[in-house]
Amino acid sequence: MEGTDAQTPLVCPGHTRGVVQVTYSNPTPDGTFLISACLDSKPMLRRGDTGDWVGTFEGHKGAVWSAKLDAPAFRAATGAADFSARIWDALTGGQLHQFECSHVVKSVDFAPDNKSLLCAGKFKKLKIFDLETLASSQEIEGHTAGVKSALYLPCGTKLVSGGEDKMLRVWDLKTSKEIMNFPVLKEITSMELSYDKKVLTLTSGTQVHFWDTDSLEMIKTIDCPIVNPTLGGRANIQDITSASLSPDRKRFIAGGPADQAWPDPWVHVFDYETGREIECLKGHHGHVWDVAFAPDGATYCSGADDGTIRIWQTEPGKKEKVDA
């Protein structure tokens, strides 16, 4: 599909290097917030609707690969290349605690009850830290290569993880054992839970998988290779690095890789039912690392190698009519 600049996104500057993860909070009485992980070592908190800067969490000594907010958005968690995961007060920006890991931390996630923190990364294990005692409570082994993403399932008693060993794995927290796995074509580059916690979206190569978190079965797999419009329509099929499903499950968005010759700066929008690309949005000046829908589905954001976050309207024409 040809690229389009039919809408002008909100541009959120501030980072000095690539923005590798963008994550919205759950809706709160104070609105929705957006937290970003960045290679500049300084994760940032913003208003989810306007992108306005709220604060910066300073302290990491290396690239920050993952940043999340707990359910009420009172605390933030980050994982970084300095072999640490950190907990922050999201209201003041102050560091609350630092957990040491043995290698680069690529993924952090709060438990559904907000009492534990799950960490994963280059150390090939899943590490769980108790946020009340501030001690390591569990380590789970089984991956044969680095883990890029690990999440709690909504039941709180199971985990899901994936990474460089090309396997989606499901774990039972009570036994620390793997209870199932699902092989994929290439390494898993991203995973995201829908806001109703019913669907896990994961990316591997040119495929986006949608997985039911209740039945633990695959709903569907869509093969949707990224074609970089910068190449003038020539077929240059590239893998997908991240994807996010809209809350109404009508579409999903995706970002492409850092091709050495032609990095893909476009945000790609696909129809969920058909897998057909329906939009390709221009704005970034570096490849798109991560994408995420806002909880209300009215907007979505992208984080890219140009150090910016951009917030896009899902249906810009509809909003203009309402505003008029």
mmCIF file of all heavy atoms in Angstrom, residues 3 22 43 53 56 63 127 141 178 200 204 219 274-275 294 299:
data_model
loop_
_atom_site.group_PDB
_atom_site.id
_atom_site.type_symbol
_atom_site.label_atom_id
_atom_site.label_comp_id
_atom_site.label_asym_id
_atom_site.label_seq_id
_atom_site.Cartn_x
_atom_site.Cartn_y
_atom_site.Cartn_z
ATOM 1 N N GLY A 3 2.058 4.897 1.023
ATOM 2 C CA GLY A 3 1.982 5.646 2.264
ATOM 3 C C GLY A 3 1.097 6.864 2.129
ATOM 4 O O GLY A 3 0.891 7.389 1.036
ATOM 5 N N VAL A 22 6.085 1.567 24.120
ATOM 6 C CA VAL A 22 5.075 2.533 24.556
ATOM 7 C C VAL A 22 3.902 1.745 25.134
ATOM 8 O O VAL A 22 3.426 0.788 24.531
ATOM 9 C CB VAL A 22 4.605 3.438 23.396
ATOM 10 C CG1 VAL A 22 5.657 4.484 23.075
ATOM 11 C CG2 VAL A 22 4.284 2.631 22.135
ATOM 12 N N PRO A 43 13.173 6.691 30.910
ATOM 13 C CA PRO A 43 11.747 6.501 30.622
ATOM 14 C C PRO A 43 10.943 7.729 31.021
ATOM 15 O O PRO A 43 11.304 8.436 31.960
ATOM 16 C CB PRO A 43 11.371 5.282 31.470
ATOM 17 C CG PRO A 43 12.434 5.191 32.515
ATOM 18 C CD PRO A 43 13.674 5.754 31.919
ATOM 19 N N TRP A 53 4.019 15.997 28.512
ATOM 20 C CA TRP A 53 5.011 15.416 29.421
ATOM 21 C C TRP A 53 4.592 15.616 30.871
ATOM 22 O O TRP A 53 4.171 16.689 31.274
ATOM 23 C CB TRP A 53 6.355 16.086 29.162
ATOM 24 C CG TRP A 53 7.477 15.644 30.053
ATOM 25 C CD1 TRP A 53 8.282 14.559 29.914
ATOM 26 C CD2 TRP A 53 7.944 16.325 31.236
ATOM 27 N NE1 TRP A 53 9.210 14.497 30.924
ATOM 28 C CE2 TRP A 53 9.030 15.558 31.754
ATOM 29 C CE3 TRP A 53 7.551 17.482 31.904
ATOM 30 C CZ2 TRP A 53 9.722 15.947 32.906
ATOM 31 C CZ3 TRP A 53 8.229 17.847 33.055
ATOM 32 C CH2 TRP A 53 9.301 17.093 33.536
ATOM 33 N N THR A 56 10.020 12.464 34.115
ATOM 34 C CA THR A 56 11.056 11.547 33.651
ATOM 35 C C THR A 56 11.606 10.770 34.846
ATOM 36 O O THR A 56 11.854 11.356 35.905
ATOM 37 C CB THR A 56 12.204 12.316 32.969
ATOM 38 O OG1 THR A 56 11.674 13.060 31.860
ATOM 39 C CG2 THR A 56 13.284 11.368 32.466
ATOM 40 N N ALA A 63 20.395 1.511 28.397
ATOM 41 C CA ALA A 63 19.144 1.566 27.638
ATOM 42 C C ALA A 63 18.006 0.907 28.415
ATOM 43 O O ALA A 63 18.178 -0.162 28.992
ATOM 44 C CB ALA A 63 19.328 0.873 26.298
ATOM 45 N N LYS A 127 12.067 -14.169 36.232
ATOM 46 C CA LYS A 127 12.316 -13.840 37.635
ATOM 47 C C LYS A 127 11.115 -13.085 38.188
ATOM 48 O O LYS A 127 10.612 -12.151 37.555
ATOM 49 C CB LYS A 127 13.574 -12.977 37.769
ATOM 50 C CG LYS A 127 14.873 -13.668 37.366
ATOM 51 C CD LYS A 127 16.045 -12.687 37.462
ATOM 52 C CE LYS A 127 17.363 -13.332 37.079
ATOM 53 N NZ LYS A 127 17.903 -14.179 38.147
ATOM 54 N N GLU A 141 12.856 -21.621 34.904
ATOM 55 C CA GLU A 141 13.777 -21.925 33.816
ATOM 56 C C GLU A 141 13.094 -22.761 32.748
ATOM 57 O O GLU A 141 12.144 -23.490 33.023
ATOM 58 C CB GLU A 141 15.003 -22.665 34.356
ATOM 59 C CG GLU A 141 15.801 -21.860 35.364
ATOM 60 C CD GLU A 141 17.092 -22.563 35.762
ATOM 61 O OE1 GLU A 141 17.617 -23.340 34.946
ATOM 62 O OE2 GLU A 141 17.558 -22.340 36.892
ATOM 63 N N GLU A 178 6.393 -25.594 32.797
ATOM 64 C CA GLU A 178 5.777 -25.250 31.526
ATOM 65 C C GLU A 178 4.595 -26.178 31.299
ATOM 66 O O GLU A 178 4.720 -27.396 31.401
ATOM 67 C CB GLU A 178 6.801 -25.394 30.402
ATOM 68 C CG GLU A 178 6.267 -25.037 29.027
ATOM 69 C CD GLU A 178 7.317 -25.228 27.938
ATOM 70 O OE1 GLU A 178 8.456 -24.738 28.111
ATOM 71 O OE2 GLU A 178 6.998 -25.875 26.928
ATOM 72 N N LEU A 200 -4.287 -12.200 23.614
ATOM 73 C CA LEU A 200 -2.858 -11.897 23.572
ATOM 74 C C LEU A 200 -2.463 -11.731 22.115
ATOM 75 O O LEU A 200 -2.718 -12.612 21.296
ATOM 76 C CB LEU A 200 -2.057 -13.033 24.206
ATOM 77 C CG LEU A 200 -0.529 -12.880 24.145
ATOM 78 C CD1 LEU A 200 -0.055 -11.870 25.181
ATOM 79 C CD2 LEU A 200 0.160 -14.233 24.362
ATOM 80 N N SER A 204 5.772 -12.428 15.242
ATOM 81 C CA SER A 204 6.892 -13.316 14.932
ATOM 82 C C SER A 204 7.088 -13.325 13.424
ATOM 83 O O SER A 204 6.205 -13.786 12.685
ATOM 84 C CB SER A 204 6.610 -14.731 15.448
ATOM 85 O OG SER A 204 7.576 -15.645 14.975
ATOM 86 N N ILE A 219 -6.500 -18.085 18.351
ATOM 87 C CA ILE A 219 -7.724 -17.639 17.686
ATOM 88 C C ILE A 219 -7.502 -17.583 16.190
ATOM 89 O O ILE A 219 -8.252 -18.124 15.394
ATOM 90 C CB ILE A 219 -8.152 -16.243 18.200
ATOM 91 C CG1 ILE A 219 -8.406 -16.279 19.703
ATOM 92 C CG2 ILE A 219 -9.385 -15.754 17.455
ATOM 93 C CD1 ILE A 219 -8.569 -14.895 20.328
ATOM 94 N N THR A 274 -9.809 -9.529 7.707
ATOM 95 C CA THR A 274 -9.241 -9.948 6.423
ATOM 96 C C THR A 274 -7.720 -9.978 6.399
ATOM 97 O O THR A 274 -7.127 -10.643 5.551
ATOM 98 C CB THR A 274 -9.712 -9.011 5.308
ATOM 99 O OG1 THR A 274 -9.152 -7.693 5.526
ATOM 100 C CG2 THR A 274 -11.230 -8.903 5.291
ATOM 101 N N GLY A 275 -7.085 -9.236 7.323
ATOM 102 C CA GLY A 275 -5.631 -9.131 7.306
ATOM 103 C C GLY A 275 -5.113 -8.174 6.255
ATOM 104 O O GLY A 275 -3.902 -8.015 6.076
ATOM 105 N N ALA A 294 -4.793 3.097 22.577
ATOM 106 C CA ALA A 294 -5.277 3.633 23.844
ATOM 107 C C ALA A 294 -6.471 2.793 24.301
ATOM 108 O O ALA A 294 -7.139 2.146 23.485
ATOM 109 C CB ALA A 294 -5.688 5.098 23.674
ATOM 110 N N THR A 299 -7.598 6.556 19.815
ATOM 111 C CA THR A 299 -6.269 6.917 19.339
ATOM 112 C C THR A 299 -5.318 5.741 19.546
ATOM 113 O O THR A 299 -5.628 4.794 20.259
ATOM 114 C CB THR A 299 -5.705 8.145 20.093
ATOM 115 O OG1 THR A 299 -5.663 7.851 21.503
ATOM 116 C CG2 THR A 299 -6.555 9.384 19.859
#
